[in-house]
Amino acid sequence: MSRQQKPTMGARLASRIQQKKAALDRYRPLPAGTVKRLNEDLKVMLTLQL
């Protein structure tokens, strides 16, 4: 029986994700209106599966 390998993330991709998260974190805390709008947009996107 063979072991299933877990998917790994490349170092370049991991670095880009960390950089983008750091950029987003600089805007925290988000204004309540922004959070509400993001939630509404996400509901629409998930409903329509865009």
Side-chain angles (χ1 to χ4, degrees):
M1 183 188 268
S2 66
R3 289 184 173 183
Q4 287 184 337
Q5 293 183 347
K6 292 183 179 179
T8 58
M9 184 182 308
R12 181 174 175 226
L13 178 58
S15 175
R16 289 181 64 205
I17 290 172
Q18 287 175 341
Q19 290 172 355
K20 289 182 181 208
K21 182 172 183 326
L24 286 171
D25 286 344
R26 286 192 287 271
Y27 291 103
R28 292 182 188 264
L30 294 173
T34 301
V35 173
K36 182 178 178 184
R37 177 61 193 255
L38 289 171
N39 282 325
E40 291 170 358
D41 288 352
L42 182 59
K43 285 179 189 177
V44 170
M45 287 174 46
L46 293 175
T47 301
L48 299 175
Q49 297 181 6
L50 296 176

